[in-house]
Amino acid sequence: MKVAIGNDHAAPQLKLAVVEHLEGQGIECIDLGCAIGEKCDYPVAAARVCECVLSGEASLGILICGTGVGMSLAANKFRGIRAACCSECFSARLTREHNDANVLCFGARVVGEGTALDLVDTFVHTEFSNEERHKRRIGLIEEIENKNL
Ligand code: RB5
C-alpha cells in the first residue's frame, strides 16, 4: 500500500512521526507536504495529495494542518475525493467502513501524536464494508458532485 501525505507549516513534525510510523509497518509514504521551517498554504498541500490519490499512485491520503478542517474543505472540492476530518478513532473507522473515505484529515493543534498515530492505523487498516446501502449513499454523494462540481 502507498499513502500520500501532506501538511502545512502547522504540522511538519507530526507528519514526520506519521511517516516513520507507517514506514515501520512497510507502508510506503509519498511525502507531498512542507518541511520544518517552510511555509505552505494548506490548499496547496491538499491538492497535491488529492491528485496523487486520484491518479492511483497512492491508495489513500493523509492531510494534516492546524485543525484538519481547512485540509478537508479543500480536499472535498475534488471529484472522487471523500475526505474525513477526524479526532477520534470511532469516526476514522466508520468513515472507511461506511463512506469509503480515501483521505484522512486531522489537526496537529487538536490531537497529540499518540492519537494521531491511532487515527492513522485505524484508517489505513480498515476496509470499506462494500454493503449495498453504503454504496448507494456514496452514489448519492457522486450525484451531488456531478451536479455541483
Ligand atoms: C494555519 O495557521 C492554519 O490556518 C491551518 O493549519 C489550518 O488549521 C486551517 O484549517
Side-chain angles (χ1 to χ4, degrees):
M1 179 197 287
K2 272 193 206 173
V3 171
I5 184 161
N7 62 286
D8 72 359
H9 47 272
Q13 265 141 338
L14 186 54
K15 181 271 304 286
L16 291 176
V18 170
V19 169
E20 186 182 355
H21 183 73
L22 288 175
E23 291 191 340
Q25 298 175 36
I27 297 172
E28 190 180 331
C29 292
I30 304 167
D31 183 354
L32 300 169
C34 70
I36 293 168
E38 283 179 359
K39 283 266 179 194
C40 169
D41 293 328
Y42 62 83
V44 174
R48 287 190 201 132
V49 165
C50 291
E51 281 161 8
C52 191
V53 170
L54 291 171
S55 75
E57 189 182 351
S59 41
L60 294 172
I62 295 172
L63 289 169
I64 318 169
C65 60
T67 59
V69 175
M71 288 290 198
S72 62
L73 292 175
N76 280 312
K77 298 297 180 192
F78 283 78
R79 187 193 298 274
I81 290 294
R82 290 176 297 281
C85 184
C86 300
S87 53
E88 33 70 35
C89 288
F90 180 76
S91 298
R93 178 167 63 83
L94 270 285
T95 200
R96 288 287 303 128
E97 289 179 353
H98 291 194
N99 314 128
D100 198 16
N102 48 13
V103 174
L104 170 70
C105 307
F106 52 86
R109 297 173 183 155
V110 179
V111 298
E113 185 177 313
T115 299
L117 299 183
D118 282 350
L119 287 170
V120 166
D121 280 341
T122 302
F123 191 77
V124 303
H125 295 300
T126 303
E127 296 293 326
F128 177 49
S129 70
N130 225 25
E131 288 172 27
E132 282 312 314
R133 70 184 196 282
H134 295 311
K135 289 202 265 190
R136 179 172 53 77
R137 291 164 188 159
I138 291 167
L140 292 170
I141 293 175
E142 287 165 355
E143 277 181 29
I144 294 171
E145 281 180 336
N146 290 338
K147 275 193 209 146
N148 296 284
L149 283 185

